[in-house]
């Protein structure tokens, strides 16, 4: 069973490293907002089926719909849209490298807004190292050929801040509810899908059907597998390995995105970028391990009493949102 869990771990890391190239393929035909809408709808379906199969959805959850709506905005619509816009303006490898900083922004938001997350020297050092890595990848001092688009970097940063704020919101308002992660992610993605459906102009979206590769990459790669199936794998891994060990999967996607972009897609690679990516990941690790966590409290989730397994979108010590 442990071996199968680690195989799933590797598969999840690979899956989370592919959204950037799939986004580039789709962007040749449709807008970032259209990409996000199709991604969320395609990813929502397997999540909904999983929640129904596990009987996670309860009628009493509806009284907390306002919290789910907030999470839909922060952790789905705004987060995905910012990342789609940023990815389009950057090389897929660069966007993937910058995505490694998501846990860094999550930790930063927790340190800023949660009283039980004090800042110590180790956390501060990790944060500064991680931001130094982002700065090196962005290279604002560079001009001309090879310049990294600053707006692309800004969009990735804004998306990371959005998901980071969602962790704080979930920690304060949603985690205490004891609602199963499968239900939380279903509500979050479902409401996000509804919001996108009523607000996104889909005129011309059919153009993506001209390219089978781009269509499959968006619907299956980015949506069904990259969002929906990835969430289910994450959920199962947390049950098998625990939240802290599962959280280390966040170190894999930047490496996968770098490999896909540079080796398979022929994008240029500089040693400085590798060093910067390493600085981000080391900074994240240092910051996470340096955080002083409050004593764990036992809460009934997933049908059992646990102390280290977060709800979807919660702000645990190390994990990202389980439906992203």
């Amino acid at each position: 069973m442990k071996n199968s869990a680690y195989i799933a771990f590797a598969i999840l890391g690979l899956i989370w490293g592919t959204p950037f190239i799939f986004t580039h393929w789709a962007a040749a035909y449709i807008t970032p907002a259209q990409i996000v809408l199709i991604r969320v709808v395609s990813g929502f379906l397997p999540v909904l089926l999983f929640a129904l199969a596990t009987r996670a959805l309860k009628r009493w959850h509806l009284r907390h719909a306002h919290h789910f709506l907030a999470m839909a905005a922060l952790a789905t619509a705004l987060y995905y849209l910012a990342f789609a816009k940023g990815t389009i303006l950057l090389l897929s490898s660069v966007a993937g490298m910058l995505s490694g900083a998501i846990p860094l922004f999550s930790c930063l938001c927790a340190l800023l807004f949660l009283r039980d997350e004090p800042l110590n020297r180790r956390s501060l050092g990790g944060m500064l190292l991680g931001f130094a890595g982002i700065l090196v990848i962005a290279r604002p001092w560079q001009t001309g050929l090879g310049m990294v688009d600053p707006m692309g970097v800004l969009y990735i940063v804004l998306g990371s801040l959005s998901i980071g704020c969602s962790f704080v919101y979930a920690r304060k308002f949603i985690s205490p509810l004891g609602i199963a992660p499968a239900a939380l992610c279903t509500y979050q993605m479902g409401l996000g899908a509804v919001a996108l459906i009523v607000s996104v102009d889909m005129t011309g979206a059919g153009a993506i059907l001209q390219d089978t590769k781009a269509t499959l990459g968006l619907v299956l790669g980015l949506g069904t597998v990259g969002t929906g199936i990835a969430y289910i794998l994450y959920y199962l891994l947390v049950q098998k390995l625990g939240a802290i060990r599962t959280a280390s999967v966040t170190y894999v996607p930047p490496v996968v995105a770098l490999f896909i972009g540079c080796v398979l897609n022929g994008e240029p690679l500089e040693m400085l970028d590798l060093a910067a990516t390493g600085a981000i990941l080391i900074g994240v690790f240092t910051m996470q391990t340096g955080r002083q966590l409050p004593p764990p409290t036992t809460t009934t989730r997933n049908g059992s009493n646990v102390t280290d397994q977060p709800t979807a979108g919660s702000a645990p010590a190390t994990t990202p949102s389980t439906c992203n």
Side-chain angles (χ1 to χ4, degrees), residues 17 21 27 44 50-51 91-92 96 107 111 123-124 132 142 156 170 178 180-181 188 224-225 241 257 273 275 284:
I21 193 66
F44 170 68
F50 182 70
L91 295 174
S92 65
C107 292
L111 290 169
S123 295
L124 179 60
Q142 186 175 6
I156 298 295
Q188 173 186 314
T224 303
V225 177
L241 301 180
D273 292 329
V284 169

Side-chain angles (χ1 to χ4, degrees), residues 14 24 33 37 164 195 239 307 318:
L14 289 173
H24 267 274
L37 171 55
Q239 290 185 317
T307 57
T318 52

Side-chain angles (χ1 to χ4, degrees), residues 8 11 22 49 76 106 114 138 159 181 200 212 220 262 296:
I11 292 173
F22 292 145
L49 292 175
T76 298
S106 303
L114 295 177
V200 175
T212 302
L220 296 180
C262 297

Side-chain angles (χ1 to χ4, degrees), residues 92-105:
S92 65
S93 56
V94 172
M97 287 186 288
L98 289 173
S99 74
I102 290 178
L104 178 70
F105 284 97

Side-chain angles (χ1 to χ4, degrees), residues 103-104 106-108 110 114 117 167 171 234 243-244 247 251 284-285 287-294 307-310 314-320:
L104 178 70
S106 303
C107 292
L108 176 61
L114 295 177
E117 296 283 354
F167 297 155
R171 177 80 159 264
Y234 187 96
I244 294 187
Y251 299 101
V284 169
F285 176 80
M287 189 174 184
Q288 289 175 338
T289 55
R291 292 166 67 189
Q292 298 174 3
L293 298 177
T307 57
D308 69 337
Q309 296 181 5
S314 64
T318 52
T319 53

Side-chain angles (χ1 to χ4, degrees), residues 158-220:
L158 291 176
S160 299
L161 280 173
S162 181
I163 194 69
C165 289
S166 77
F167 297 155
V168 174
Y169 187 93
R171 177 80 159 264
K172 292 176 70 71
F173 300 109
I174 295 181
S175 293
L177 302 177
I179 298 175
L184 291 174
C185 199
T186 300
Y187 303 142
Q188 173 186 314
M189 292 187 66
L191 289 172
V194 171
L196 290 165
I197 288 172
V198 300
S199 62
V200 175
D201 182 4
M202 292 298 287
T203 302
I208 196 171
L209 297 176
Q210 301 172 21
D211 188 334
T212 302
K213 180 180 74 171
T215 302
L216 294 177
L218 175 57
V219 177
L220 296 180

